Amino acid sequence: MEKLSAVMLGAGNRGLLTYGPYAQAHPEELEFVAVAEPRKGRRERFAREHGIPPQRQYDSWESLLAVGKLADVLFNCTQDQLHTATTLAALDVGYDILLEKPMAENLLDNMRLVQAAEKRGRLLATCHVLRYTAFFQTLRDVLRSGRLGRIINVDHRENLIFWHMAHSFVRGNWRAEASSAPMLLAKCCHDLDILGWLLGLRFARVSSFGSLTAFRPEHAPPDAPLRCTDGCPHANDCKFYAPRFYAKDGDSFMLNAVAMNAGADERLELLASSSPYGRCVWHCDNTVVDHQTVAMEAEDGTTVTLIMQGHGFEECRTMRYDGTLGTLQARMGGAGGNKITLRDHLSGSSEEIEVQDAASGHGGGDFGIVAAFLRAARGAPDRDLPTARESLESHLLAFAAEEARNSRKVVKVDRFRRRAEKALKRERKRAKSKR
């Protein structure tokens, strides 16, 4: 097997702690030879763990790409708002790219990335890691076996545990559409992709409802200060009290979001001063929804409901597929682990299938997507690795659902797609006329 070299743009949670470890676990397949990361501590840690010399450590993605092509492939784990500029520049340099989801924070930029990759003949794969979990591959095999008959209706729930919602989408990097992306895109382009992949269908119509309901200033407890550490009278009975989550020693993704290579005292000091994670959840600058329901109708009439909500007691995905011959109920994650239950309508019999997660995150999908990307970069892509155009479909659905939610109307997906294509052509024509 040919060993590939790689550069990493963005050594945050996904770059440092998720995809970087693949090279450490499989040094015969992958070696990181350069890193770009503006935060010194993260940059130095990534470089130390991968043996990257000082001359290949860059404090910006611009300075790394200005050098030219340094490796076979590039991992783009920058923040959402940087995906378009970094990916376009990396494609120009000549890299094949594994891009963290979502592809881009607005629809036209998503389309630009797809067209740029296709024009240059480069591989651009988005991290739809759920495709590479044992759970969803088992579920796909059941659906394609015909045991359920024709699928009539699907109910799919993305249940966020309350502290994950608060960490990432109230206090954290994905709290505001202006600096990130709509909640549905940021959290559920995974789910929109997996639904289309499992069913092998395209969606024709979409409607959606949802809002930012709970995490608003008017719902703050009486006398709650702007920061949890400013003498909050509700510290003992508030489930979101920041020091309970962050003022600890350790090396988890939540603790490292406050400060990397730090102890409890240092993190507590940051919570009390500058860290966004020390803020009261009812006094943040968050704008994304905390719950949303999306109803979709496929081209063949199959109906699908996707529910995303951030007020759960455990982190898991739950689903139900009703077909003409049987029903499948399943859950991925949470205290109960992975389980798929099949019920035959005629006999009334049931069968349970337990699915064990692999070692990496997202049920093994994190390492699975890397392995598939490397195979594709060597010229042997498998059937499950999404092309850039396939990834565009799930992102387009997310934006169509957002339009439906904001307009309170049913959106026809093909019409929405054509409108976006025309908008991109008009924009390019205006840009050309200004040259």
Side-chain angles (χ1 to χ4, degrees):
M1 181 183 297
E2 177 191 1
K3 180 178 181 177
L4 297 182
S5 57
V7 300
M8 175 64 74
L9 297 189
N13 176 47
R14 300 297 287 171
L16 175 65
L17 302 177
T18 300
Y19 303 123
Y22 186 92
Q24 295 169 303
H26 302 280
E28 74 286 357
E29 294 185 40
L30 178 66
E31 178 185 12
F32 284 99
V33 298
V35 58
E37 167 56 52
R39 292 162 293 186
K40 183 179 179 182
R42 293 175 182 266
R43 181 174 68 249
E44 291 180 345
R45 176 173 168 179
F46 189 92
R48 183 170 60 253
E49 292 182 358
H50 296 277
I52 299 173
Q55 64 271 24
R56 288 290 180 257
Q57 301 173 29
Y58 301 88
D59 60 7
S60 71
W61 63 267
E62 295 96 336
S63 56
L64 185 151
L65 293 177
V67 177
K69 193 175 181 184
L70 299 174
D72 299 309
V73 299
L74 180 143
F75 286 62
N76 190 343
C77 297
T78 57
Q79 284 295 308
D80 298 351
Q81 66 270 26
L82 295 176
H83 283 186
T84 300
T86 53
T87 301
L88 290 175
L91 288 170
D92 283 341
V93 172
Y95 281 111
D96 290 329
I97 301 168
L98 182 63
L99 175 62
E100 184 53 72
K101 62 90 182 168
M103 296 172 68
E105 57 187 339
N106 66 71
L107 180 55
L108 295 191
D109 279 347
N110 278 274
M111 298 168 69
R112 289 187 187 92
L113 294 184
V114 173
Q115 293 177 6
E118 291 177 345
K119 180 179 179 179
R120 291 160 179 76
R122 306 312 315 181
L123 171 63
L124 176 59
T126 306
C127 293
H128 290 305
V129 299
L130 296 183
R131 291 188 178 204
Y132 287 92
T133 63
F135 176 86
F136 279 112
Q137 291 193 346
T138 301
L139 199 157
R140 176 199 59 187
D141 292 343
V142 171
L143 294 177
R144 295 183 182 179
S145 72
R147 295 179 63 181
L148 301 182
R150 184 194 183 283
I151 303 302
I152 302 298
N153 177 260
V154 178
D155 175 59
H156 180 106
R157 296 179 62 99
E158 161 68 299
N159 306 296
L160 276 73
I161 196 167
F162 69 92
W163 55 257
H164 187 179
M165 178 74 203
H167 173 79
S168 294
F169 302 102
V170 179
R171 290 166 168 150
N173 292 330
W174 296 273
R175 65 187 181 270
E177 289 190 30
S179 59
S180 178
M183 175 72 168
L184 188 68
L185 183 72
K187 191 71 185 78
C188 292
C189 66
H190 268 330
D191 302 272
L192 291 167
D193 173 76
I194 207 69
L195 285 164
W197 178 73
L198 287 169
L199 295 168
L201 297 173
R202 289 166 66 92
F203 293 99
R205 298 193 298 169
V206 60
S207 65
S208 183
F209 297 92
S211 64
L212 172 57
T213 300
F215 299 103
R216 304 171 66 92
E218 60 266 31
H219 298 314
D223 305 320
L226 297 182
R227 286 190 172 271
C228 294
T229 51
D230 290 345
C232 181
H234 308 281
N236 291 333
D237 55 10
C238 177
K239 67 181 183 181
F240 298 107
Y241 183 58
R244 189 178 302 120
F245 292 102
Y246 301 109
K248 299 177 181 179
D249 300 323
D251 192 32
S252 71
F253 82 95
M254 287 183 64
L255 297 177
N256 287 334
V258 178
M260 186 166 284
N261 303 322
D265 291 342
E266 182 179 348
R267 286 178 174 134
L268 180 60
E269 184 176 336
L270 289 169
L271 294 176
S273 56
S274 60
S275 175
Y277 298 98
R279 296 180 298 177
C280 170
V281 294
W282 290 281
H283 292 302
C284 291
D285 56 346
N286 55 307
T287 62
V288 299
V289 302
D290 56 17
H291 64 112
Q292 187 166 353
T293 299
V294 181
M296 297 174 283
E297 182 181 55
E299 292 174 343
D300 72 343
T302 302
T303 51
V304 176
T305 303
L306 166 64
I307 296 175
M308 182 286 304
Q309 61 85 23
H311 299 277
F313 70 97
E314 61 178 344
E315 190 97 342
C316 66
R317 286 178 168 89
T318 54
M319 58 222 69
R320 173 170 171 155
Y321 287 72
D322 284 293
T324 55
L325 300 179
T327 293
L328 179 151
Q329 291 176 285
R331 62 175 290 135
M332 180 189 184
N338 300 334
K339 185 175 291 186
I340 298 173
T341 302
L342 307 178
R343 291 182 171 85
D344 183 83
H345 292 172
L346 179 61
S347 68
S349 63
S350 65
E351 175 189 351
E352 289 194 356
I353 304 172
E354 293 192 8
V355 184
Q356 296 298 318
D357 283 339
S360 71
H362 282 106
D366 289 342
F367 274 18
I369 196 78
V370 175
F373 170 68
L374 297 178
R375 288 193 296 270
R378 297 187 192 100
D382 62 42
R383 63 175 182 172
D384 297 326
L385 187 71
T387 65
R389 190 157 293 277
E390 288 172 339
S391 292
L392 176 61
E393 193 65 20
S394 63
H395 289 61
L396 184 139
L397 270 176
F399 287 110
E402 277 299 282
E403 176 163 301
R405 182 178 71 87
N406 290 319
S407 67
R408 295 183 177 272
K409 295 180 179 179
V410 175
V411 172
K412 293 183 177 180
V413 177
D414 277 345
R415 185 179 296 176
F416 182 78
R417 182 186 291 105
R418 289 194 297 270
R419 201 166 74 235
E421 290 169 348
K422 288 179 180 178
L424 184 57
K425 287 180 180 178
R426 287 196 301 270
E427 187 176 283
R428 283 180 169 162
K429 191 175 290 186
R430 284 195 300 268
K432 189 175 182 180
S433 66
K434 292 180 181 179
R435 293 174 186 169

